[in-house]
């Protein structure tokens, strides 16, 4: 696909960033888009590799037909490229910005550390499609008379709602917050993805017949019995928002926070919304002029780092209990799977101090109960503290970003009580039980998809689950379905 000899003639290029000294002064996206000819050259690098691992189970969770749309872009057929991309992915402008791109890890050219710039091309296709007016509502021509409710408007809920509406069902999407998007809007910072992209999709979905109900906390404001009585099917896409318990002494000191309240607050400020929201603390959390410590090594921790720099933090230290990974992986041992190797996010590159193989022993505070530091130590390969290696890092604010253990328990789960089967694992995670074929729960008329079922995961996995759950619901209601898996 693409140009037959393109991978030999053209070097890999990706979109450039604004300098860190400039981008930390604002919360807007800082990626500098590539020109159309540059994108086409990168698409031309896609080789006829025989077995395209990029869109197999090791690469893209939604099975994007990457070689196909690379070829279309190379030949300037942007219209057909977005149709092809939309056949597997409802929201390529989301994944083109925030997906870690396992497809590029699985690319055959990654054996030479020069994979095709798949993520850059995907984003370019979606942005070009909006620019050219290719993305418009696609309402169903025939209505089924069936009514479906979707709880939660994150990427899983949005994908499912769009698919179900296009199948002809009357779809009602219920969202606890004041706008759609879930953690895609309130968790992911604007400098990674501006929220006008979500708003554009909401407009498209409204044009397809989806009705949005904001400010409705299902299970509290509207009981599940009402939902079942009013709808032929209910899909629960509540996400995974309950922070994992760190078990670190001193978490009650003023200045110690879970990561999500901090990120949600700043996203609300950028969106010019009130920082008060259901389920999150409302006291302002600001990093300006302060020493910050972030506990955790994942994407959420990185988002805290970037947000703190933009708020004017003096110093940001990130603690990762894992050992520092190698600079380069053993290709023949791990390819085409996701490799453990040294990766530096754009936020970390803005000046964060990264400490590896460091455990957090306790948060230290003064007599007034205010955080003053974080006591740490080196840990061994089993993550056990090494005696005599203790040290204290000065901290005015500390954010705990070590993952999530399941959905909020005070709404849908509480309302359903023992009716709903929950799976609890050794780490304390609690997810709603349903398989990935029919997505049916133990409660009649109730399906579930996304992080609430599989646990915290990627946006692209949520889109996949939402699409597949929509197909399962359509088949259950109608006896057959034309929706893709």
């Amino acid at each position: 696909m693409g140009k037959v000899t393109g991978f030999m003639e053209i070097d890999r290029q990706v979109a450039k960033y604004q300098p860190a000294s400039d981008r930390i002064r604002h919360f807007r996206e800082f990626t500098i888009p590539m020109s159309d000819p540059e994108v086409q050259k990168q698409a031309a690098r896609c080789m006829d590799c025989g077995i395209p691992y990029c869109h197999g189970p090791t690469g893209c969770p939604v099975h994007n037909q990457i070689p196909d749309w690379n070829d279309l872009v190379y030949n300037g057929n942007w219209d057909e490229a977005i149709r092809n991309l939309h056949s597997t992915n409802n929201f390529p402008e989301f994944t083109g910005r925030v997906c870690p791109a396992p497809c590029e890890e699985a690319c055959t050219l990654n054996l030479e550390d020069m994979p095709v710039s798949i993520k850059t091309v995907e984003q370019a296709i979606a942005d070009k499609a909006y620019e050219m007016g290719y993305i418009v509502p696609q309402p169903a021509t025939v209505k089924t008379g069936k009514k479906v409710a979707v709880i939660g408007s994150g990427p899983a809920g949005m994908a499912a709602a769009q698919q179900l509406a296009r199948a002809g069902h009357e779809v009602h999407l219920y969202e606890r917050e004041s706008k759609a998007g879930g953690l895609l809007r309130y968790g992911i910072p604007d400098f990674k993805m501006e929220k006008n992209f979500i708003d554009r999709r909401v407009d498209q979905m409204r044009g397809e017949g989806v009705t949005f109900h904001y400010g409705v906390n299902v299970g509290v404001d509207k009981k599940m019995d009402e939902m079942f009585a009013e709808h032929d099917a209910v899909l629960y896409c509540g996400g995974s928002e309950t922070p994992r318990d760190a078990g670190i002494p001193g978490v009650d000191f003023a200045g110690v926070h879970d990561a999500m309240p901090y990120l949600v607050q700043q996203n609300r400020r950028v969106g010019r919304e009130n920082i008060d929201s259901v389920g999150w603390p409302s006291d302002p959390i600001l990093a300006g002029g302060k020493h910050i410590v972030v506990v955790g090594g994942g994407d959420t921790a990185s988002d805290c780092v970037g947000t703190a720099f933009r708020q004017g933090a003096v110093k940001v230290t990130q603690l990762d209990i894992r050992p520092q990974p190698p600079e380069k992986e053993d290709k023949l041992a791990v390819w085409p799977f996701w490799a453990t190797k040294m990766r530096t996010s754009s936020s970390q590159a803005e000046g964060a101090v990264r400490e590896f193989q460091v455990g957090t022993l306790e948060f230290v505070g003064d007599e007034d109960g205010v955080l003053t530091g974080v006591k740490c130590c080196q840990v061994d390969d089993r993550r056990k503290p090494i005696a005599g290696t203790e040290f204290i890092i000065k901290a005015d604010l500390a954010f705990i970003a070590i993952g999530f253990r399941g959905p909020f328990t005070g709404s849908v789960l509480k309302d359903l009580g023992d009716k709903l089967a929950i799976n609890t694992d050794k780490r304390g995670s609690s997810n709603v039980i349903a398989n990935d074929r029919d997505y049916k729960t133990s409660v009649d008329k109730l399906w579930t998809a996304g992080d609430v079922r599989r646990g915290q995961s990627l946006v692209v996995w949520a889109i996949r689950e939402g699409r597949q759950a929509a197909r399962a619901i359509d088949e259950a209601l109608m006896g057959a379905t034309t929706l893709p898996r």
Side-chain angles (χ1 to χ4, degrees), residues 5 29 64 78 86 135 165 232 238 289 336 383 420:
T5 57
E29 288 185 13
N64 281 336
W78 297 91
H86 272 153
I135 299 180
D232 297 293
R383 300 187 178 183
L420 193 59

Side-chain angles (χ1 to χ4, degrees), residues 262-306:
Y262 176 57
L263 296 175
V264 169
Q265 276 194 14
Q266 185 56 40
N267 282 332
R268 285 181 166 276
R269 289 189 190 96
V270 174
R272 299 187 178 182
E273 295 185 60
N274 192 305
I275 65 171
D276 296 335
S277 66
V278 178
W280 303 108
S282 58
D283 292 335
I285 310 170
L286 294 166
K290 297 177 180 178
H291 289 74
I292 311 299
V293 171
V294 181
V295 180
D299 291 337
T300 302
S302 182
D303 291 343
C304 289
V305 170

